[in-house]
Amino acid sequence: GGAHYGHQPSAPYGGAPGAYGAQGHGGQYGHGQGVAPGAPYGGYGAQPHGGHYGHHAPAGNFKLSNIPHGVNPEAHQWFQTVDTDRSGFINLKELKQALVNSNWSAFNDETCLMMINMFDKTRSGRIDMFGFSALWDFMQRWRALFQQYDRDRSGCISSMELHQALAQMGYNLSPQFSETLVQRFAVRGVRPGIQLDRFIQVCTQLQTMTQVFRERDTSMTGNVRLSYEDFLSGTVTRLM
């Protein structure tokens, strides 16, 4: 039973903070409250060669001995390629150049910035090797979830597919709500639905807002008395 926003208190996405969260895979770099899964560098291709659901391939070789402890080897290889100015950090421009959807379109700025903010422990607007490794794991889990519901392999999640995904995450929301989200974030000229970048953005922000609501819904009724400014303060704090 319980509130409308998450029928299972321990559900991986609509439920308790921490489940499938960036904290579990990224340590101090994961600022999200139990944010959910995804894919590195576009579509479904976790391998450098990618294919139709691929991503920009990393160049060059790397030595395992040079990988810092706790850093994903694949993430290390990608970091060396994406860090084009060899600064030791990945900024918004560099991350945006690395992330592509299944039709090879670049990830939108809002999603890239959201992820940098999530894994930027210094609040400098960029992420180091460890933050990038945590982001890599975060993206891998998102990719897996996206692939699970993009059953026709169109590279887009339809409103019906989104509704099914949100239901699995523990959200008791109407099909009309999913349709509204898809209409809001669909890209013109692309097949109906939302691509991987917007899927990550929508679900992560939905979880953030749900957590704000949950903290105030102490009786788990699905209803709270909340001022407009209180709501904005809670969501802005978690999204920044």
Side-chain angles (χ1 to χ4, degrees):
H4 297 290
Y5 50 78
H7 52 74
Q8 301 175 11
S10 60
Y13 311 99
Y20 284 129
Q23 290 281 7
H25 295 265
Q28 60 186 322
Y29 299 94
H31 300 293
Q33 299 291 322
V35 284
Y41 320 116
Y44 304 137
Q47 292 74 29
H49 47 77
H52 172 63
Y53 293 105
H55 44 72
H56 298 313
N61 299 318
F62 67 99
K63 298 180 180 179
L64 292 175
S65 59
N66 294 333
I67 302 176
H69 179 70
V71 171
N72 184 301
E74 282 188 296
H76 179 271
Q77 184 180 14
W78 274 96
F79 187 91
Q80 301 301 325
T81 301
V82 176
D83 181 21
T84 55
D85 60 2
R86 297 296 182 264
S87 65
F89 294 90
I90 299 297
N91 58 30
L92 175 62
K93 181 180 179 181
E94 290 170 329
L95 184 63
K96 185 177 172 63
Q97 289 173 341
L99 299 176
V100 294
N101 293 298
S102 61
N103 66 349
W104 297 100
S105 63
F107 266 38
N108 68 82
D109 289 344
E110 292 88 349
T111 301
C112 291
L113 181 59
M114 179 190 75
M115 291 189 295
I116 285 182
N117 287 338
M118 288 174 61
F119 297 100
D120 170 23
K121 68 169 184 175
T122 64
R123 298 304 194 199
S124 62
R126 56 185 188 169
I127 52 178
D128 62 10
M129 175 77 74
F130 295 95
F132 184 78
S133 182
L135 186 151
W136 171 274
D137 292 338
F138 171 78
M139 289 287 293
Q140 289 282 16
R141 298 192 305 277
W142 270 120
R143 178 190 61 82
L145 188 67
F146 187 89
Q147 179 180 7
Q148 178 182 347
Y149 284 96
D150 180 21
R151 295 189 177 91
D152 60 0
R153 296 298 186 267
S154 66
C156 291
I157 294 288
S158 69
S159 60
M160 181 180 68
E161 291 168 337
L162 178 62
H163 180 68
Q164 293 171 344
L166 293 179
Q168 177 182 312
M169 293 177 195
Y171 295 112
N172 184 17
L173 300 168
S174 69
Q176 290 74 22
F177 181 78
S178 296
E179 177 65 31
T180 298
L181 289 175
V182 168
Q183 290 178 356
R184 166 65 178 81
F185 291 104
V187 179
R188 293 183 179 180
V190 179
R191 295 187 62 173
I194 55 176
Q195 299 186 98
L196 176 62
D197 55 352
R198 293 297 189 184
F199 179 73
I200 294 173
Q201 180 185 0
V202 165
C203 294
T204 303
Q205 291 183 351
L206 178 60
Q207 186 179 41
T208 296
M209 292 184 287
T210 299
Q211 183 59 28
V212 173
F213 191 94
R214 181 184 293 276
E215 289 171 357
R216 288 158 175 79
D217 184 19
T218 55
S219 61
M220 295 289 289
T221 62
N223 295 281
V224 297
R225 184 178 296 276
L226 184 67
S227 75
Y228 177 59
E229 187 167 335
D230 282 344
F231 177 75
L232 290 180
S233 297
T235 54
V236 167
T237 297
R238 285 169 172 80
L239 290 174
M240 296 300 291

